[in-house]
Amino acid sequence: MTENKGSCLCGAVSFVTAGRLRGVVNCHCGQCRQFHGHFAAYTAIHRDAVTIADPNDQLGWYDSSPGVRRGFCRQCGSSLFWDRQDSELLRIAAGCISAPTGLTTEGHIYMADAGDYYRLQDELPKRQQGLKSPLIE
Ligand SMILES: [Zn+2]
Ligand SMILES: [Zn+2]
């Protein structure tokens, strides 16, 4: 079975995933841009397939909107997870996963909220809002 490993920058919080990770989706919403410092690149997998190791209790959770929390390392500040209560998937920041990840980026969401300081130059599908919203361009 495919296995991926990852951690925050300092290594206090690490995780292992069992099974195939979803392709990476870049989220341009204002919350992701603030939380990550730029747009977010999230992969995802069923929450039961993720084993988190946090021996020193450094994984913090910020409730960013109703039913949604974002996981981060209290020690180094790395952004790690996006966790929506009513979803079976746990989103994992792709940048925290060790190479080779085997992942590719599949598209962009929340382009309506994208920052005004960058321009995308790829041909990947772009959506105004979430994954179920219509494509743009
Ligand atoms: Zn850390
Ligand atoms: Zn977002």
Side-chain angles (χ1 to χ4, degrees), residues 27-33 40 42 70 82 109-110:
C27 184
H28 296 260
C29 82
Q31 287 194 349
C32 280
R33 288 191 296 104
Y42 281 120
R70 293 168 183 269
W82 188 90
I109 59 172
Y110 286 96

Side-chain angles (χ1 to χ4, degrees), residues 4-49:
N4 285 91
K5 293 180 180 179
S7 72
C8 62
L9 181 59
C10 77
V13 182
S14 62
F15 56 87
V16 179
T17 60
R20 243 180 100 78
L21 292 162
R22 188 199 67 190
V24 175
V25 175
N26 292 338
C27 184
H28 296 260
C29 82
Q31 287 194 349
C32 280
R33 288 191 296 104
Q34 284 193 288
F35 187 67
H36 291 266
H38 195 28
F39 60 80
Y42 281 120
T43 181
I45 194 165
H46 196 284
R47 59 178 69 252
D48 295 344

